Amino acid sequence: MKISNVFILIAYLLLTSSMTIEAKNLDSGAEIYSDRCVLCHGNKGMGDGYIPMRLKGYPQTSLFESPKATDKTALVKVISKGVLIDTVNEYMPPWESELTEEQISDLADFVIYLRSDTENALIMLEKHTRNLDKTVRDGRVIFETRCALCHGKLGLGDGRMARIIKNPPPADLTKSILTPHQMGLIIKLGGQEVGRSPKMPPWGDFMTDNEVNAVVDFIDTLKD
């Protein structure tokens, strides 16, 4: 083998090895995000996690909207030390006592990846978020943050938006005869896509399949 070909082979091996390590680190960061960050930042980093949606006055947690930490050094510091909004309420917890330096580095890399190549980052993240166990209790929390505004806390169709949404009004879910599969399709695709009310919005872009299933299971507990 010619010397020039040897150098080319070495360069190729170094490049592919670097790419493999980077992909592994990003996947590690995605897994950590799905386990530690979804509650506040949401499944897609949009700031629509359960906690900010339930607590009035909670600071915005979108990773895209006016981010204060934009480079890796700043992200590592925020993840490690947390963010203290005031002297009483600590909204972003510090993770340095629970995550290793390597894990924090991987998480910071994934956040940068999420911002720079959102579509592919979300594909990577979804591999982990779809495997998270979601119970009926989770379904209740999601229902209260996503659905109660129209359908009411008990699913009676008497949410605050029922004063505005007419013809047809929000459904009384306690009397629904839809199968779990049909209910799941309506939640994911919206009413219009399945021949139902066009005023029912699609939630598939905001909820994972396991979250949809948890909501369907919770709705089942509301039925007469």
Side-chain angles (χ1 to χ4, degrees):
M1 182 181 292
K2 294 182 179 179
I3 294 178
S4 59
N5 290 339
V6 172
F7 282 123
I8 292 173
L9 177 59
I10 292 173
Y12 173 77
L13 291 174
L14 289 173
L15 177 62
T16 54
S17 176
S18 175
M19 291 173 62
T20 301
I21 293 172
E22 182 181 5
K24 182 179 179 181
N25 292 351
L26 288 174
D27 189 67
S28 170
E31 184 176 10
I32 295 166
Y33 181 95
S34 70
D35 185 47
R36 306 279 186 165
C37 310
V38 164
L39 279 176
C40 287
H41 296 289
N43 289 313
K44 300 184 178 182
M46 297 172 64
D48 57 345
Y50 306 157
I51 293 177
M53 291 190 67
R54 296 191 78 187
L55 299 180
K56 186 177 181 180
Y58 200 90
Q60 75 88 9
T61 58
S62 171
L63 295 175
F64 301 97
E65 185 178 337
S66 302
K68 293 182 174 59
T70 56
D71 58 54
K72 183 169 181 178
T73 299
L75 281 166
V76 166
K77 182 178 179 180
V78 167
I79 296 169
S80 300
K81 305 298 182 181
V83 176
L84 187 65
I85 302 300
D86 54 47
T87 58
V88 178
N89 298 308
E90 190 174 50
Y91 287 99
M92 169 72 184
W95 291 105
E96 61 184 353
S97 63
E98 299 183 44
L99 299 176
T100 65
E101 290 184 4
E102 182 179 2
Q103 288 175 317
I104 290 173
S105 175
D106 290 347
L107 181 55
D109 283 337
F110 177 74
V111 172
I112 292 172
Y113 183 48
L114 182 64
R115 289 170 175 166
S116 61
D117 190 357
T118 304
E119 184 176 352
N120 285 322
L122 290 178
I123 292 173
M124 180 179 288
L125 180 60
E126 200 268 339
K127 291 190 304 180
H128 299 287
T129 55
R130 71 187 178 193
N131 292 325
L132 296 176
D133 290 332
K134 295 296 179 183
T135 64
V136 171
R137 183 178 179 182
D138 294 313
R140 177 180 62 80
V141 173
I142 300 168
F143 184 91
E144 290 176 352
T145 57
R146 305 284 193 188
C147 315
L149 185 63
C150 291
H151 295 286
K153 287 187 176 182
L154 298 179
L156 296 169
D158 58 351
R160 284 182 291 161
M161 288 300 293
R163 304 171 187 172
I164 301 173
I165 299 176
K166 308 290 183 182
N167 301 319
D172 180 348
L173 299 176
T174 66
K175 301 187 182 303
S176 174
I177 59 173
L178 296 175
T179 65
H181 176 69
Q182 291 171 324
M183 183 71 74
L185 285 180
I186 291 176
I187 294 172
K188 289 175 61 176
L189 303 178
Q192 187 168 354
E193 287 296 315
V194 294
R196 309 281 292 191
S197 171
K199 297 173 183 177
M200 167 65 189
W203 289 103
D205 285 341
F206 298 91
M207 296 165 58
T208 59
D209 286 350
N210 50 355
E211 288 181 321
V212 171
N213 293 337
V215 171
V216 171
D217 290 342
F218 171 70
I219 290 173
D220 192 54
T221 69
L222 299 174
K223 296 180 181 178
D224 294 336

